[in-house]
Amino acid sequence: MSSFDKLADKLMPVANAIGNQRHMQAIRNGLISILPLTIVGSFFVILLNIPIKGYMDFIAPWRDTLDVPFRFTVGLMSLYAAFTIGSFLGKSYKLNDITSGLLAMLATLLMIVPVNIKQGVTVAGEAVAGRYIPVTSLSSQGLFGAIISSLIAIEIYRFIKVRNIEIKMPAGVPPVVASSFSALFPTLAVVLVFWIPRHFLNIDINAIISYIIMPLKGFMTGTNLFGGIVTQFFIDLFWVLGIHGHAVMGPLIRPLWDQAIVQNMELFQSGVSAYELPNIFTEQFFQWYAQMGGTGSTLALVVLFIRSRVIYLKQLGKLSFIPGLFNINEPMIFGAPIVMNPILAIPFILAPMVNTVVVYLFTVSGLIPRMMVKPPFTLPAPLGALITTNWNLIACGLVFICFFISLAIYYPFFKAYEKKMLETELQQKEEEERAKALAEAK
């Protein structure tokens, strides 16, 4: 048994346990479900910051109005995440998914203390007074609180449901009405569990969670180079072992990534320079620099395959080129294959890590800004880097530097693999010719 097989045997049970755990799946699926909101919100950040002379002055009268879609998409991501996470978790328990989502939202909102405003002014200049919910509590700042509250709310719902503590309606009552009445006790329980600690005992769950999570967030998404390398290493390693790296790492890293890019986005919108944003290692950092063509920076390998003397590799390279441009590389991972391939696994892991270090040095030296929007991951890398760094041309050019670094790292391993494949191809051809000669002799 090879070292890869031994490592896979040890990690596979752990990876499967994480990937199949219902709470982890709910978090991953819930956060992925709100991607359209955060992506569309990102486009409005771009719209408000196009570096064309005179453009900012032109949109100045409508700036606050143009900012509204961002505030109601990205600015409320915790509320949307609470609903989707709660809905997915409830569905996994065979509970009503709509009720589950609503209870998760309710729990998240109950952790917020309304603000009393005796006299204020709206953006439009109108006088206001009354009780208001601080929107910042529902943005990225409250994401981890929303995740925890959603999970707890659904566990409360399930606890009551399995014990049949509910108001049951007669058989002739419409299912929607019956479902609404059966949710009365879970709703009351969720209200009491979250309302009393926060509003009577002044226990701020969001603040506690943020305090606990902050060191991990700083390590994996802030400015810690080692944290960025570790993140990239494990994603690549799991893929090499035939395990979906993003699926395994997603429940842990995606909330951190989402919080990091939204924090950058909000600070950038408030006037902070893109060079001074707090988070370097966002998901976009890895997408556009370390993972061109997909995990493992395989676009460089695709180009090498296209020029290969091995017919199979040449055809695979041609078929994988267009998907690779748009960061879809499953054809390469499973077609080359890279999975469980000791030759190609080394550059698959090494190239993204080297790129991570190179781009980090460019970033901390102030040559390129940090990421501040979240466009679709299928954008070609140069365009993605250009948009996410506030139209920085050096960042766009750095993508090509990273591509050639990946090309150089992959090249010797590609040649070794090509030689092996050529020998196999020649052997198969000789066997076919022998078989043909035998057939003709008969």
Side-chain angles (χ1 to χ4, degrees), residues 232 235-236 239 246 286-300 302 323-330 332-333 338 348 352 355 377 379 381 406 410:
Q232 185 61 65
I235 290 174
D236 295 335
W239 272 113
H246 290 87
F286 296 109
Q287 284 173 346
W288 310 136
Y289 295 126
Q291 300 175 359
M292 285 168 294
T295 307
S297 195
T298 52
L299 188 60
V302 169
L325 281 179
F326 297 96
N327 306 306
I328 298 169
N329 69 340
E330 277 78 3
M332 287 295 293
I333 289 177
I338 291 171
F348 184 85
N355 287 338
F377 80 94
L379 281 180
S406 300
Y410 267 109

Side-chain angles (χ1 to χ4, degrees), residues 219-220 225-235 249 353:
F219 175 71
M220 298 189 79
L225 176 59
F226 182 63
I229 291 174
V230 167
T231 301
Q232 185 61 65
F233 171 77
F234 277 106
I235 290 174
M249 294 289 289
M353 293 172 63

Side-chain angles (χ1 to χ4, degrees), residues 53-86:
K53 187 176 181 181
Y55 176 79
M56 302 302 285
D57 294 333
F58 173 74
I59 67 167
W62 304 284
R63 188 171 184 83
D64 291 329
T65 303
L66 292 171
D67 185 53
V68 169
F70 169 77
R71 299 299 169 187
F72 282 89
T73 52
V74 176
L76 296 177
M77 70 175 300
S78 293
L79 190 62
Y80 299 127
F83 181 86
T84 54
I85 292 170

Side-chain angles (χ1 to χ4, degrees), residues 67-198:
D67 185 53
V68 169
F70 169 77
R71 299 299 169 187
F72 282 89
T73 52
V74 176
L76 296 177
M77 70 175 300
S78 293
L79 190 62
Y80 299 127
F83 181 86
T84 54
I85 292 170
S87 180
F88 276 109
L89 182 57
K91 194 172 183 179
S92 74
Y93 282 129
K94 298 187 178 354
L95 301 171
N96 185 288
D97 54 343
I98 301 298
T99 300
S100 298
L102 292 173
L103 290 176
M105 285 177 61
L106 174 62
T108 300
L109 290 169
L110 283 168
M111 292 200 300
I112 301 171
V113 177
V115 176
N116 283 311
I117 298 178
K118 294 183 179 179
Q119 185 175 1
V121 180
T122 66
V123 173
E126 300 171 351
V128 293
R131 302 186 76 197
Y132 297 89
I133 295 176
V135 177
T136 52
S137 301
L138 297 173
S139 65
S140 63
Q141 294 182 23
L143 181 58
F144 281 98
I147 292 171
I148 300 300
S149 62
S150 299
L151 301 181
I152 294 173
I154 304 310
E155 290 300 330
I156 293 171
Y157 183 17
R158 184 179 73 93
F159 179 86
I160 294 173
K161 192 73 174 176
V162 297
R163 285 160 180 77
N164 293 317
I165 305 172
E166 60 182 349
I167 298 174
K168 295 184 178 180
M169 304 301 290
V173 175
V176 174
V177 177
S179 177
S180 298
F181 274 90
S182 70
L184 287 176
F185 286 128
T187 301
L188 177 60
V190 168
V191 168
L192 295 176
V193 167
F194 287 91
W195 171 55
I196 292 174
R198 183 68 185 99

Side-chain angles (χ1 to χ4, degrees), residues 301-308 313-319 321 414:
L301 186 59
V302 169
V303 172
L304 291 172
F305 273 18
I306 290 173
R307 298 182 62 83
S308 176
L313 297 183
K314 191 179 189 70
Q315 291 176 338
L316 179 63
K318 290 179 179 179
L319 291 171
F321 183 71
F414 157 72

Side-chain angles (χ1 to χ4, degrees), residues 45-58:
V45 176
I46 297 168
L47 181 65
L48 288 166
N49 296 278
I50 297 176
I52 298 176
K53 187 176 181 181
Y55 176 79
M56 302 302 285
D57 294 333
F58 173 74

